[in-house]
Amino acid sequence: MQFTLDDEPRFPRGKRSGIGIIGCGHIVQTAHLPAYEKYGLNIVGVYDISEQAMRTVQQRFHVRHAFASVDDLFASSDIEVVDIATHPAERAGLILKALQAGKHVLSQKPFALDMHTAQELIQEAERRHLTLAVNQNGRWAPPWRITTQLVQQGAIGEVLAVTHLFDTRFEWVTGTVFDTIPHWAIYDYGLHWIDSIHCWLADTPLTSIRAREYRTPDQPMESKADWGMWCEFVYANGAHAMIRSVGCSQTQRDGHPFWLHGTQGIIRGSILGKGNDFVELERDGISSRYPLKGQWFPDGFAGTMGELLCAIEEDREPYHSARHTLRSLQMTLAACQSAEHNGEVVPYEEMKR
């Protein structure tokens, strides 16, 4: 079988909309702006409560404006899209203000801390005929992007099982802001992997979720966030998805292998490794490995912004719209709820609350 596969970001054919960025922290400096610079996007200006961070970004990436306030950024007629890359607690309020200012929004994930707020923001964007997208940049990470296209084109038939493994070591988290985030491995880090499961089993009714978090035996006393966890997602037709975080791996081949088993084949791959990323399809006794043209960082971040800009130009809903990613948020919050009760099953009806 022949498949149409392309893991590169796509951008509008017409003019590039002006982009304003709120938040000039590590992720903006190492991913957002390198991606936007690489693909020639139109960055009008930035704002951050830290003037030093803002000036550093302005000088390093030759950004035209460093705004004195977030209101000044919202007031700029040159800005059509606002990229919100702040800490989670501030995002919902900034999204609302951006929508009220008539701006399209790309929000870092998660775009809300609870389902009620998420629904309200989606309704506000739709009421104003504006686009609210979520920076689920893992969807454009090359191995996952190719995998999604293979699934959508029926390469393995019906998806029966998804398995993710974090074959890595989380000692880098100790002493960082991530170390203080409740349910960090699920809520912040694991959300990308949960979102991938949502994309690959999107039309299959979900029935229940379980999750557990635990400290690994060699985890240092000063670290706060659990390095070990697992999440289990059960579907009405018997399909099953699992994420397992080892978190204490001593491997030098650091990575995140994954497997999709279907009725007609298997997809194997690995992501976010040290030069070990790949994706391979096995079907009818033949294995095919596909070339990857980019990397999650920074190309995945170009993918999210490019898809948003294309959706605006083409007057359609983007693939990573807040409405489409709502199930991923719902699944993540349910997994956190289960982890708080040591792996207790959370039925789908409770997830919707």
Side-chain angles (χ1 to χ4, degrees), residues 307-350:
E307 168 64 3
L308 172 57
L309 298 178
C310 287
I312 293 169
E313 181 184 65
E314 297 161 11
D315 192 25
R316 60 172 174 81
E317 181 179 346
Y319 179 53
H320 57 328
S321 71
R323 183 167 292 284
H324 189 268
T325 64
L326 193 62
R327 170 63 70 86
S328 303
L329 176 61
Q330 182 184 50
M331 292 164 67
T332 302
L333 294 175
C336 292
Q337 179 183 333
S338 175
E340 287 176 358
H341 296 89
N342 199 34
E344 186 176 287
V345 173
V346 177
Y348 178 70
E349 287 305 313
E350 290 188 26

Side-chain angles (χ1 to χ4, degrees), residues 111-302:
F111 73 104
L113 302 181
D114 60 82
M115 292 298 291
H116 177 72
T117 302
Q119 292 277 16
E120 286 190 330
L121 291 172
I122 290 170
Q123 292 167 8
E124 181 70 13
E126 292 175 349
R127 186 177 69 82
R128 293 178 178 273
H129 305 288
L130 293 168
T131 304
L132 171 58
V134 182
N135 205 336
Q136 292 289 173
N137 39 75
R139 296 188 180 194
W140 280 267
W144 283 355
R145 185 68 175 159
I146 294 295
T147 297
T148 299
Q149 292 170 353
L150 287 169
V151 169
Q152 291 174 341
Q153 294 173 45
I156 60 171
E158 182 182 1
V159 178
L160 304 177
V162 176
T163 308
H164 284 295
L165 175 65
F166 296 176
D167 185 15
T168 189
R169 186 171 179 83
F170 284 136
E171 60 187 354
W172 62 268
V173 177
T174 305
T176 69
V177 65
F178 302 109
D179 211 16
T180 65
I181 297 175
H183 310 295
W184 169 79
I186 299 173
Y187 177 78
D188 186 87
Y189 193 86
L191 176 50
H192 285 297
W193 280 259
I194 294 172
D195 184 65
S196 76
I197 292 169
H198 162 48
C199 291
W200 299 335
L201 284 159
D203 297 327
T204 309
L206 182 63
T207 58
S208 64
I209 290 178
R210 291 194 303 153
R212 266 200 75 229
E213 300 164 301
Y214 55 92
R215 295 181 67 84
T216 62
D218 64 343
Q219 192 169 334
M221 291 294 295
E222 62 270 20
S223 68
K224 299 175 183 177
D226 293 328
W227 292 1
M229 70 86 171
W230 56 257
C231 298
E232 177 188 54
F233 305 88
V234 179
Y235 292 81
N237 67 345
H240 185 275
M242 173 69 78
I243 302 172
R244 169 74 188 276
S245 169
V246 174
C248 59
S249 178
Q250 294 295 333
T251 181
Q252 296 300 308
R253 299 174 59 189
D254 190 49
H256 299 72
F258 61 92
W259 299 261
L260 285 78
H261 290 77
T263 55
Q264 298 178 39
I266 301 169
I267 297 172
R268 302 181 182 92
S270 187
I271 197 165
L272 208 60
K274 298 174 181 176
N276 300 317
D277 288 8
F278 76 95
V279 62
E280 175 183 280
L281 168 68
E282 179 184 345
R283 179 183 170 121
D284 301 326
I286 300 172
S287 293
S288 304
R289 185 169 290 207
Y290 299 97
L292 304 176
K293 298 175 184 176
Q295 298 178 331
W296 187 341
F297 290 73
D299 301 282
F301 290 77

Side-chain angles (χ1 to χ4, degrees), residues 9-13 16 35 39 41 302-303 305-307 309-310 313:
R10 190 171 74 89
F11 300 95
R13 296 179 180 177
R16 300 287 174 92
Y39 291 95
L41 300 188
M305 182 57 79
E307 168 64 3
L309 298 178
C310 287
E313 181 184 65

